[in-house]
């Protein structure tokens, strides 16, 4: 079911949600959170699809905020809010409201979003592309317990990564970090199987890969060794090599969904290490809404400095 509303208000949108649920007989009580997606028109389709797929694991009210610019100078000064209300088959297992804001409404999108949040439910804000410099202090980010950014979507990930270190607040996370979960799990399990002392380390990846930098910083913080950054043709992270007195522990994935795990004194074996879809990454992040202390550790790496935790 889809309901289009032009030049509307948050109150009318709420009424449309209630009427739509009654029409299709779907209660709102099964939804566990509100997911706010802040994007542009170009990336809205992919973001909506990822959020819809993730809603099969986490039924939610998804609010998609798209800031638009009117075509004529006269219309640009006129504040306006258009909305699409999607329920039932149009919206996965939850409900979706696409909000297109114009004029001054775009500058105060939080005032539109706030009345549409599910009562007594957690709020997560996701910026698929252009995230604010300080997500926690952004008006929409301030509404959320969890704020998701993506270093893969920025033009200069190295600069933005350093900005993330300076602006970090509990509840911040990044999909570049989420992409590393299989790598971190595999490396932790490998070190459990081969209890050795790591004396050197290297992360191999394509140039300027933000996940590779986070992985290197995490290893530096955990292993207390300097991690070399080795540039390869990619794609993404291709290998991690940990040097020990007994030999190298290596996870090598030059391409494809399979990697080769080599442990000192053991024959190499193949392990699954696929590149996951965005919907899987979002679903993983929605499983926990507390502060990700390991991400904070990876941000500061082996520098030994505390990450600031301002709200």
């Amino acid at each position: 079911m889809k309901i289009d509303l032009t030049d509307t208000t948050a109150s009318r949108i709420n009424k449309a949600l209630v009427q739509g649920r009654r029409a299709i007989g779907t209660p709102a009580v099964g939804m566990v959170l509100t997911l706010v997606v802040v994007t542009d028109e170009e990336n809205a389709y992919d973001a909506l699809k990822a959020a819809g797929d993730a809603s099969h694991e986490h039924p939610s009210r998804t609010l998609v905020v798209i800031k638009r610019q009117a075509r004529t100078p006269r219309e640009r000064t006129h504040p306006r809010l258009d909305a699409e209300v999607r329920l039932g088959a149009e919206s996965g297992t939850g409900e979706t409201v696409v909000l297109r804001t114009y004029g001054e409404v775009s500058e105060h999108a939080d005032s539109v979003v706030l009345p549409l949040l599910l009562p007594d439910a957690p709020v997560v804000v996701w910026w698929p592309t252009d995230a604010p410099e300080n997500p926690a202090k952004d008006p929409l980010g301030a509404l959320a317990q969890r704020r998701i950014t993506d270093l893969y979507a920025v033009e200069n990930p190295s600069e933005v990564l350093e900005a993330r270190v300076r602006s970090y607040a509990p509840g911040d996370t990044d999909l570049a970090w989420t992409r590393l979960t299989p790598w971190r799990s595999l490396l932790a399990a490998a070190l459990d199987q081969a209890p050795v002392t790591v004396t050197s380390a290297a992360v191999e990846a394509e140039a300027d890969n933000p996940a590779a930098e986070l992985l290197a910083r995490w290893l530096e913080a955990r292993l207390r060794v300097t991690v070399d950054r080795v540039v390869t043709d990619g794609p993404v992270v291709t290998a991690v090599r940990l040097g020990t007195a007994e030999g190298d522990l290596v996870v090598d994935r030059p391409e494809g969904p399979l990697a080769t795990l080599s442990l000192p004194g053991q024959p190499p074996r193949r392990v699954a290490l696929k590149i996951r879809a965005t919907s899987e990454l979002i679903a993983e992040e929605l499983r926990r809404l507390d502060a990700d202390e390991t991400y904070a550790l990876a941000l500061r790496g082996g520098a030994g400095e505390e990450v600031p935790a301002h709200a």
Side-chain angles (χ1 to χ4, degrees), residues 219-268:
L219 289 170
E220 285 178 337
R222 287 298 190 191
L223 301 176
R224 301 298 180 186
V225 297
T226 299
V227 177
D228 294 329
R229 281 75 162 168
V230 180
V231 176
T232 65
D233 292 333
V236 296
V237 180
T238 55
V240 173
R241 303 180 190 277
L242 305 180
T244 75
E246 291 78 11
D248 285 355
L249 187 160
V250 180
V251 179
D252 188 19
R253 187 193 62 183
E255 58 183 357
L258 293 177
T260 301
L261 172 63
S262 302
L263 299 177
Q266 300 183 28

Side-chain angles (χ1 to χ4, degrees), residues 57-309:
E57 182 177 337
H58 308 277
S60 58
R61 173 176 290 180
T62 302
L63 306 177
V64 183
V65 180
I66 303 173
K67 297 181 180 181
R68 296 288 302 272
Q69 189 173 41
R71 294 182 179 179
T72 66
R74 175 184 245 176
E75 290 176 337
R76 285 172 198 162
T77 61
H78 175 63
R80 195 176 94 224
L81 172 65
D82 296 342
E84 296 174 21
V85 178
R86 305 179 183 181
L87 302 103
E90 293 276 352
S91 186
T93 60
E95 53 191 30
T96 300
V97 181
V98 180
L99 303 165
R100 290 183 172 87
T101 63
Y102 298 81
E104 289 185 8
V105 180
S106 296
E107 303 303 318
H108 305 283
D110 55 310
S111 64
V112 176
V113 167
L114 186 59
L116 300 176
L117 302 178
L118 288 171
D120 303 319
V123 178
V124 178
V125 177
W126 170 36
W127 292 271
T129 51
D130 298 323
E133 186 173 336
N134 190 332
K137 290 188 175 179
D138 178 80
L140 287 171
L143 300 174
Q145 287 77 39
R146 192 81 162 169
R147 294 167 295 275
I148 305 171
T149 54
D150 192 353
L151 285 165
Y152 273 75
V154 303
E155 196 168 317
N156 193 328
S158 298
E159 280 186 16
V160 177
L161 177 58
E162 296 311 316
R164 294 278 184 268
V165 176
R166 294 189 296 271
S167 67
Y168 174 80
D172 290 355
T173 192
D174 196 279
L175 293 186
W177 174 246
T178 319
R179 290 180 178 91
L180 293 173
T181 301
W183 281 91
R184 293 188 291 119
S185 299
L186 181 57
L187 288 167
L191 287 171
D192 283 343
Q193 294 177 48
V196 292
T197 301
V198 176
T199 57
S200 65
V203 172
E204 300 180 6
E206 60 191 351
D208 297 322
N209 183 280
E213 178 61 25
L214 285 170
L215 182 57
R217 293 185 182 200
W218 175 70
L219 289 170
E220 285 178 337
R222 287 298 190 191
L223 301 176
R224 301 298 180 186
V225 297
T226 299
V227 177
D228 294 329
R229 281 75 162 168
V230 180
V231 176
T232 65
D233 292 333
V236 296
V237 180
T238 55
V240 173
R241 303 180 190 277
L242 305 180
T244 75
E246 291 78 11
D248 285 355
L249 187 160
V250 180
V251 179
D252 188 19
R253 187 193 62 183
E255 58 183 357
L258 293 177
T260 301
L261 172 63
S262 302
L263 299 177
Q266 300 183 28
R269 59 178 182 271
R270 302 284 270 172
V271 292
L273 202 60
K274 70 172 185 175
I275 297 174
R276 297 181 295 165
T278 304
S279 58
E280 295 177 74
L281 304 177
I282 292 297
E284 178 184 326
E285 284 302 331
L286 296 182
R287 289 180 202 134
R288 55 174 298 173
L289 300 176
D290 57 329
D292 190 342
E293 295 177 357
T294 311
Y295 171 63
L297 178 71
L299 279 177
R300 69 175 177 261
E305 298 178 358
E306 290 297 320
V307 172

